[in-house]
Amino acid sequence: MTEASILLFRACLALLAMPIYLLSFLGIWKPFCRKIFFPFFLEKFSAIHERKTKKQKQELFRNLPDFTSRSGELKLLEIGTGCGANFQFYPPGCKVTCTDINPHFQQGLLRSMNKNQHIHYERFLVAAGEDLHQVPSGSVDAVICTLVLCSVHSVNSTLKEVLRVLRPGGAFYFLEHVAADHSSWKYFWQQICYPTWKLVFDGCCLTREIWKNLEEANFSELKLQHISVALPWTPIQPHIIGYAVK
């Protein structure tokens, strides 16, 4: 009965989103989404998400200076930088390399850079999380990834790249929305929304259990917490937050 209900509600949601499905079939939606819709949406959504998670992010990034290298420099690599929502939390003087698979976030990114001139921006790389070959192995002190692992093609491959580019003793910081408890109505809602949500929001997957990938990755230490972010009427309230040490 549950599976039948999920399929029925998925079909209803697909009917509501039929114009987008049609544009996708014609090959129009994906380029429009990546170039115009998603950068616009992400900047607006990031502002809302930021207000809801500001205290958690302040606490999360509080110990970033502890990972400063012996040279006195703190080199950060951010995967899926987007519009630069995390810049305000980085310690003064740190050096940041920004990466994103989508090169169309320039306007929002420049606004964030202008607001946060306490950090040094080294370069911007158009790169997927699974392929950071432009970044030398063991070259960064910390990797940051927030609301990105939901949409990478492979979480495990991305974590392997994270471990490669981190120096020994470096840290990986994360804040990601994840699957709800399987017995909950939230998970039922996530299953209904999954196909349409993934199409509309550039590959974002609602039901990934990313904490399992992190637990299975080759980190020496993992500090992870499950939290709920107050985003009413959305299927992305369950989150995980924390950091892992190489």
Side-chain angles (χ1 to χ4, degrees):
M1 180 61 182
T2 302
E3 288 185 8
S5 300
I6 289 169
L7 290 174
L8 175 62
F9 285 119
R10 277 183 177 179
C12 293
L13 191 57
L15 281 174
L16 291 173
M18 187 55 68
I20 295 176
Y21 277 93
L22 180 60
L23 289 173
S24 178
F25 177 76
L26 296 172
I28 297 171
W29 174 253
K30 190 170 182 178
F32 171 78
C33 179
R34 288 210 159 184
K35 189 171 183 179
I36 299 173
F37 170 75
F38 197 63
F40 172 81
F41 167 81
L42 188 64
E43 189 170 9
K44 303 301 181 186
F45 174 76
S46 293
I48 297 169
H49 194 271
E50 180 56 44
R51 290 197 297 270
K52 303 290 186 179
T53 60
K54 188 168 186 175
K55 289 182 179 179
Q56 289 96 330
K57 281 190 175 183
Q58 286 173 335
E59 180 62 24
L60 173 65
F61 295 124
R62 183 175 53 84
N63 69 340
L64 259 176
D66 294 347
F67 294 97
T68 301
S69 63
R70 292 179 181 178
S71 67
E73 289 185 334
L74 178 61
K75 293 187 176 182
L76 309 181
L77 172 73
E78 183 163 0
I79 298 174
T81 305
C83 300
N86 295 322
F87 292 162
Q88 61 181 300
F89 302 105
Y90 297 161
C94 67
K95 295 183 176 180
V96 182
T97 295
C98 304
T99 73
D100 206 294
I101 196 171
N102 187 341
H104 300 296
F105 292 110
Q106 295 99 325
Q107 292 183 349
L109 192 60
L110 284 172
R111 280 192 284 270
S112 292
M113 286 177 169
N114 289 333
K115 288 178 184 176
N116 297 281
Q117 297 189 14
H118 62 289
I119 55 182
H120 301 295
Y121 302 99
E122 292 207 292
R123 55 179 176 161
F124 179 88
L125 304 174
V126 178
E130 301 93 336
D131 183 10
L132 301 170
H133 69 272
Q134 300 171 80
V135 183
S137 299
S139 64
V140 299
D141 302 303
V143 176
I144 291 91
C145 186
T146 61
L147 301 182
V148 173
L149 294 178
C150 59
S151 56
V152 297
H153 289 299
S154 170
V155 175
N156 288 336
S157 297
T158 300
L159 293 178
K160 284 180 182 177
E161 277 291 80
V162 168
L163 283 162
R164 182 186 66 79
V165 302
L166 277 174
R167 64 163 175 80
F172 172 57
Y173 288 79
F174 54 87
L175 171 62
E176 299 287 341
H177 70 81
V178 294
D181 183 277
H182 285 207
S183 63
S184 68
W185 281 106
K186 287 180 182 178
Y187 186 68
F188 181 70
W189 173 232
Q190 286 177 332
Q191 289 179 293
I192 291 167
C193 294
Y194 185 96
T196 299
W197 186 276
K198 186 176 181 181
L199 173 65
V200 174
F201 298 111
D202 200 22
C204 176
C205 298
L206 292 172
T207 56
R208 286 185 174 173
E209 298 175 332
I210 297 168
W211 66 90
K212 293 183 179 179
N213 302 93
L214 287 161
E215 289 166 354
E216 294 167 2
N218 194 27
F219 289 103
S220 64
E221 181 184 354
L222 175 63
K223 294 189 179 295
L224 183 151
Q225 182 182 0
H226 289 259
I227 63 172
S228 181
V229 177
L231 296 165
W233 307 106
T234 75
I236 57 169
Q237 294 180 57
H239 283 59
I240 56 170
I241 188 170
Y243 67 94
V245 180
K246 178 176 177 178

